[in-house]
Amino acid sequence: MALMRRRWPTLVAGLLAATAWALPAQARFMPLDQVQTRLGFELSTRWGQRLDGWFPKFDGGVEVLPDGRHQVSLRMYTREVLIQDHPSYTKWARGGMFFESERYPVVTFISHPYRPETLSHGGELSGELTIRGIRRAETLLVQPADCARPALDCDVISTGAVRRSDYDMDGFKMAVNDRVVFVLRARLQEHAPQ
């Protein structure tokens, strides 16, 4: 259970961190590419049906710290969250039994500072995930990169699992399992807009 809870922040951090090692030396912050990045999650029902959710609206990026380490920050907006092909589950995900988007419109993740070279071959990243005002330490698993400049020339793919009950998202338990798997495919903009 502890491993499951620690994987989520690694997902986001790894997603962005794996790309950060390739940042130009003069860069201090690289934002997420709004077109090529896809931040989502998977749920399953008690009957084995998989539900794919995603955040159409998000922001964040990678900051290069003065000591050379990197730090990821990510904001995902719950008012726009969608469950693919399921309007009723979309309404539920935005409602009081899940994200409660009117009261908690943003899910955030901030990684702990990390050495970017540790992510070139994949690995774990840790940080702080906040959902519904509840902040927990989580860890994401970053897949090895398929290119020399992850997040610039190819997606950085991270996954991590959390228990929704840990974040008071425990409504509809009879129909939807407790485990939420985040699946993040991130790209960064090489040159931040002026």
Side-chain angles (χ1 to χ4, degrees):
M1 295 282 187
L3 180 60
M4 181 187 303
R5 279 183 260 145
R6 287 184 295 202
R7 288 222 171 155
W8 197 93
T10 306
L11 170 66
V12 178
L15 189 67
L16 300 173
T19 60
W21 69 269
L23 296 177
Q26 72 276 13
R28 287 282 148 238
F29 183 80
M30 289 182 76
L32 285 168
D33 183 310
Q34 294 290 314
V35 175
Q36 297 185 75
T37 296
R38 183 168 172 101
L39 307 179
F41 57 92
E42 297 172 358
L43 300 165
S44 61
T45 67
R46 300 287 182 190
W47 307 280
Q49 178 185 24
R50 191 175 95 184
L51 304 173
D52 294 313
W54 61 289
F55 297 94
K57 185 177 178 186
F58 57 85
D59 59 47
V62 174
E63 181 179 0
V64 179
L65 302 174
D67 66 1
R69 293 181 300 165
H70 296 153
Q71 188 168 32
V72 173
S73 61
L74 179 63
R75 294 167 58 90
M76 297 172 284
Y77 297 93
T78 61
R79 288 181 177 151
E80 287 80 15
V81 72
L82 297 170
I83 304 293
Q84 186 173 332
D85 301 324
H86 292 283
S88 61
Y89 280 117
T90 293
K91 184 177 178 180
W92 167 77
R94 294 176 184 177
M97 291 190 288
F98 202 72
F99 286 121
E100 195 174 355
S101 62
E102 288 303 313
R103 187 170 177 199
Y104 303 105
V106 180
V107 169
T108 63
F109 175 78
I110 299 174
S111 77
H112 298 144
Y114 58 88
R115 294 262 168 227
E117 60 270 12
T118 62
L119 301 175
S120 61
H121 299 293
E124 292 187 348
L125 290 176
S126 62
E128 301 290 326
L129 174 66
T130 304
I131 302 175
R132 292 175 58 117
I134 299 170
R135 184 172 63 194
R136 291 184 171 273
E138 299 286 0
T139 300
L140 301 174
L141 181 62
V142 181
Q143 295 181 13
D146 289 337
C147 65
R149 299 190 320 153
L152 296 175
D153 298 331
C154 62
D155 292 348
V156 173
I157 303 170
S158 299
T159 59
V162 301
R163 292 185 325 172
R164 59 191 184 96
S165 56
D166 286 343
Y167 295 92
D168 289 342
M169 300 176 2
D170 50 7
F172 218 39
K173 287 192 274 189
M174 296 301 293
V176 179
N177 289 316
D178 192 37
R179 189 169 186 255
V180 179
V181 178
F182 285 87
V183 180
L184 309 179
R185 302 180 71 91
R187 294 271 186 122
L188 296 173
Q189 293 180 22
E190 191 164 6
H191 303 289
Q194 299 296 323

